[in-house]
Amino acid sequence: MDRFFNMDNKFFTFMSRVADLIILNLLCIVCCIPVITIGPSIAAMFYVTLKMVRNEESYIVRGFFKSFKQNLKQGIVINLIMLVAAILLYFDISICRNTPGIIGKVLMVLFMMILVVYLMIFLYIYPVLAKFYNTIKNTFTNAFLMSIRHLPYTALMILITAAPVLVFFIPSAQVQSMVLLLLVLIGFSGIAYINSFFFVKVFDKYIPEETSEPNPDSVVDHSLDSDNKNL
């Protein structure tokens, strides 16, 4: 009985982690409401989940707003770029659907390939922003290169991230309502937390060990400045 009420047992540890993710999820949603702050909000969420995976987190709220403030300017610019790109892709794909003949089909294939690249960059861009100091240009470059170099992880994380969206295609209002409730409570931070296990493995490859000789393969092109955010 004493073991059950021990705060260090697996049940209380699990429930504590769930509570932290709920708090983090609500923080991210609230900070995303202005739309322009979606970028720094997602980066701040990954800042916390990456620390969670490494068991380095202390205060969820403090860590979130520390990263939010730190990445505010770059996060807003990156967010605007990603939003404009998404809008352009949406209109291009819509035009291709209404374009008859072989030209429409060829353009559709081309823009779908661009959409895949967009999703790969979107998956990595905010975790990379949360983890590394760099220019906006190099942050985009490194996010793209990492997504290509670690394609199996990338494909798996895309499936994990897309899973809640796919559920909405189930013709059941009850199931859709349940998924929507879970997304509001813990969905975004939960997905970020699961994906962070993969991101930690990826990012560790670009953090040179202090006691070892520099490895030319340990740094992404354009001089990725690793671990400057004390994760």
Side-chain angles (χ1 to χ4, degrees):
M1 197 71 175
D2 291 337
R3 291 181 61 188
F4 177 78
F5 289 102
N6 183 357
M7 297 303 292
D8 292 328
N9 70 31
K10 292 183 179 180
F11 174 77
F12 282 109
T13 301
F14 172 77
M15 293 307 296
S16 176
R17 183 51 49 88
V18 170
D20 288 341
L21 289 173
I22 290 174
I23 294 171
L24 181 61
N25 199 69
L26 295 176
L27 282 173
C28 184
I29 291 174
V30 170
C31 290
C32 283
I33 291 175
V35 179
I36 196 173
T37 56
I38 290 176
S41 299
I42 297 176
M45 178 176 64
F46 274 104
Y47 175 87
V48 176
T49 57
L50 287 168
K51 291 177 77 70
M52 281 183 173
V53 170
R54 294 180 180 274
N55 293 315
E56 296 175 354
E57 81 278 9
S58 52
Y59 299 101
I60 302 299
V61 177
R62 183 185 300 177
F64 179 90
F65 283 109
K66 173 187 174 182
S67 177
F68 183 88
K69 181 179 179 181
Q70 191 175 48
N71 294 307
L72 183 60
K73 292 181 179 180
Q74 285 193 329
I76 288 176
V77 175
I78 289 172
N79 178 53
L80 290 175
I81 293 173
M82 297 301 290
L83 281 175
V84 170
I87 292 171
L88 290 175
L89 272 173
Y90 173 79
F91 282 112
D92 288 335
I93 292 174
S94 298
I95 292 172
C96 290
R97 287 177 178 175
N98 298 320
T99 302
I102 190 67
I103 296 179
K105 294 179 180 179
V106 171
L107 289 175
M108 177 62 75
V109 171
L110 175 62
F111 284 116
M112 291 305 294
M113 292 173 62
I114 295 174
L115 177 61
V116 171
V117 173
Y118 175 90
L119 293 175
M120 291 168 65
I121 293 175
F122 184 87
L123 186 68
Y124 277 79
I125 191 73
Y126 298 113
V128 170
L129 177 63
K131 177 65 176 173
F132 302 101
Y133 280 123
N134 220 317
T135 64
I136 292 175
K137 177 184 176 181
N138 289 347
T139 298
F140 272 101
T141 301
N142 293 327
F144 174 70
L145 291 176
M146 286 182 182
S147 67
I148 294 295
R149 291 178 178 178
H150 306 281
L151 198 55
Y153 283 153
T154 302
L156 184 56
M157 287 189 287
I158 287 177
L159 289 175
I160 293 170
T161 305
V165 178
L166 297 177
V167 174
F168 276 98
F169 287 96
I170 298 176
S172 171
Q174 186 176 1
V175 172
Q176 293 174 355
S177 299
M178 182 64 67
V179 172
L180 184 60
L181 177 62
L182 288 174
L183 283 174
V184 172
L185 284 178
I186 197 173
F188 302 109
S189 62
I191 292 172
Y193 178 68
I194 295 171
N195 285 346
S196 290
F197 283 92
F198 302 107
F199 282 125
V200 164
K201 293 180 180 181
V202 171
F203 293 161
D204 282 350
K205 298 179 183 297
Y206 304 98
I207 302 174
E209 297 181 6
E210 294 181 1
T211 57
S212 62
E213 291 293 328
N215 183 351
D217 294 329
S218 66
V219 179
V220 182
D221 295 346
H222 300 286
S223 302
L224 185 64
D225 184 11
S226 62
D227 211 28
N228 280 345
K229 293 189 177 176
N230 300 319
L231 288 174

